[in-house]
């Protein structure tokens, strides 16, 4: 019933030219995004993926067009977004955007020549581990990335964005995030595909405004305080010893049922 109501809403869009594709079966979050982006990139140089729980500022389109034009020739700039993860911006920071190791899928946009090599391939971790610079980039992205890859492999989550993070790092690339909120995610109430618990941890205020001229650096500039705060946000205590914690929990369940651990 909910799916049908969304489908009817999509069919009524009148504020833009539309080409609507409705699958006969639920393809899942990751396949829907990837198939959609692949289709658009057969026809266009740039694309934006909007998941169904994203709310946009009226100025998002203007910002996205500006960023696409500004960084289109810089291949180290892998993607843009409309909102980050609630990173604290240092007082006196002079630009309207910042570069980060951590990607955001909130109003995610990229170019065809960046997307073309993307695949959901967990073996990218091996390449990253073997390169000290890329290993540090992964570390600065947050310690939850590797755990989400594991959850993906065990079908606990259905993610494309985690693999984009690996792909971005494998290309020694960076993500552009606006300082203000040009898009926000309202789907973290516990009922989402990958968000099973309610959280306000990543909430971003929808305060992005259209500007006559955005303050954008000509090249990639990394701010140490922004990088560290993003890393602190993503480094969750439970992720520091995930394997130990999972094994202990499994052992306790068996122990309480008087079952042999060795058998399992």
């Amino acid at each position: 019933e909910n799916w049908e109501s969304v489908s009817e809403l999509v069919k009524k869009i009148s504020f833009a030219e539309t080409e609507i594709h409705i699958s006969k079966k639920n393809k899942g979050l990751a396949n829907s995004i990837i198939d959609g982006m692949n289709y658009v990139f057969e026809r266009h140089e740039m694309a934006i993926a909007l998941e169904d729980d994203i709310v946009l500022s009226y100025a998002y389109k203007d910002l996205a067009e500006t960023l696409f034009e500004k960084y289109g020739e810089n291949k180290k700039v892998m993607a843009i977004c409309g909102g980050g993860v609630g990173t604290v911006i240092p007082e006196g920071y002079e630009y309207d955007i910042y570069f980060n190791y951590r990607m955001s899928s909130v109003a995610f946009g990229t170019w065809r020549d960046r997307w073309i090599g993307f695949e959901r391939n967990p073996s990218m971790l091996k390449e990253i581990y073997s390169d000290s610079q890329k290993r540090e980039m992964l570390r600065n992205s947050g310690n939850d990335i590797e755990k989400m890859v594991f959850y993906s492999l065990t079908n606990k989550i259905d993610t494309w964005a985690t693999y984009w993070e690996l792909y971005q790092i494998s290309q020694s690339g960076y993500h552009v995030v606006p300082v203000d909120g040009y898009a926000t995610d309202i789907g973290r109430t516990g009922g989402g595909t990958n968000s099973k618990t309610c959280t306000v941890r990543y909430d971003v205020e929808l305060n992005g405004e259209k500007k006559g001229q955005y303050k954008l650096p000509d090249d990639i500039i990394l701010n140490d305080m922004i990088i560290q705060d993003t890393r602190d946000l993503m480094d969750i205590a439970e992720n520091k010893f995930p394997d130990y914690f999972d094994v202990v929990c499994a052992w306790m369940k068996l122990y309480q049922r008087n079952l042999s651990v060795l058998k399992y």
Side-chain angles (χ1 to χ4, degrees):
E1 190 173 303
N2 288 336
W3 187 93
E4 290 291 348
S5 66
V6 171
S7 178
E8 289 305 311
L9 186 67
V10 169
K11 291 175 182 176
K12 293 177 182 177
I13 290 175
S14 60
F15 55 80
E17 293 183 24
T18 59
E19 182 179 325
I20 300 172
H21 297 248
I22 298 178
S23 176
K24 293 182 179 179
K25 63 177 182 178
N26 187 345
K27 295 194 292 186
L29 187 157
N31 285 331
S32 294
I33 295 292
I34 293 171
D35 289 351
M37 293 291 270
N38 286 339
Y39 180 83
V40 173
F41 279 129
E42 290 175 0
R43 295 153 178 80
H44 301 281
E45 295 292 330
M46 292 153 280
I48 295 168
L50 297 176
E51 296 180 16
D52 59 1
D53 50 9
I54 303 301
V55 179
L56 301 178
S57 157
Y58 76 95
Y60 170 75
K61 181 174 179 286
D62 184 69
L63 174 73
E65 289 176 345
T66 302
L67 296 178
F68 276 142
E69 181 177 355
K70 177 72 174 180
Y71 299 114
E73 299 300 319
N74 190 336
K75 301 301 174 63
K76 291 296 182 183
V77 179
M78 293 291 289
I80 69 170
C81 67
V85 294
T87 301
V88 174
I89 307 302
E91 187 176 350
Y93 184 74
E94 61 181 306
Y95 298 112
D96 290 319
I97 61 95
Y98 59 89
F99 294 94
N100 211 341
Y101 299 108
R102 181 76 181 206
M103 70 86 65
S104 169
S105 62
V106 178
F108 171 93
T110 189
W111 298 261
R112 177 197 288 164
D113 60 4
R114 275 70 147 186
W115 178 269
I116 198 167
F118 170 62
E119 58 180 340
R120 281 182 288 174
N121 183 1
S123 66
M124 286 186 286
L125 272 173
K126 183 178 180 181
E127 175 196 341
I128 292 169
Y129 288 151
S130 65
D131 184 306
S132 59
Q133 183 179 1
K134 292 176 181 177
R135 192 165 62 244
E136 183 63 17
M137 292 176 78
L138 177 65
R139 183 68 194 91
N140 282 319
S141 301
N143 67 2
D144 59 335
I145 299 296
E146 293 144 296
K147 186 173 185 180
M148 286 194 289
V149 172
F150 173 75
Y151 280 168
S152 172
L153 291 171
T154 53
N155 296 318
K156 292 182 179 179
I157 61 173
D158 181 23
T159 176
W160 66 275
T162 302
Y163 291 104
W164 178 271
E165 181 70 51
L166 297 183
Y167 176 59
Q168 180 174 289
I169 293 171
S170 74
Q171 301 299 305
S172 299
Y174 301 89
H175 206 79
V176 179
V177 185
V179 169
D180 294 325
Y182 286 80
T184 190
D185 178 355
I186 60 169
R188 300 184 185 276
T189 56
T193 300
N194 296 328
S195 300
K196 304 300 183 185
T197 57
C198 182
T199 179
V200 296
R201 191 164 149 264
Y202 311 106
D203 281 6
V204 173
E205 184 182 354
L206 201 63
N207 59 352
E209 297 182 350
K210 185 175 180 178
K211 300 181 180 180
Q213 186 172 358
Y214 297 93
K215 295 180 181 178
L216 306 174
D218 291 330
D219 206 350
I220 294 167
I221 297 175
L222 297 175
N223 182 283
D224 291 340
M225 293 179 68
I226 290 176
I227 298 298
Q228 185 61 51
D229 191 64
T230 303
R231 176 172 164 172
D232 290 343
L233 275 169
M234 309 319 294
D235 277 357
I236 311 171
E238 70 172 271
N239 290 330
K240 295 188 184 297
F241 307 102
D243 296 328
Y244 174 81
F245 183 77
D246 290 344
V247 169
V248 170
C249 287
W251 174 78
M252 283 298 297
K253 290 177 182 177
L254 294 172
Y255 181 78
Q256 290 167 354
R257 292 160 57 195
N258 293 319
L259 297 176
S260 168
V261 176
L262 291 176
K263 184 179 178 182
Y264 291 86

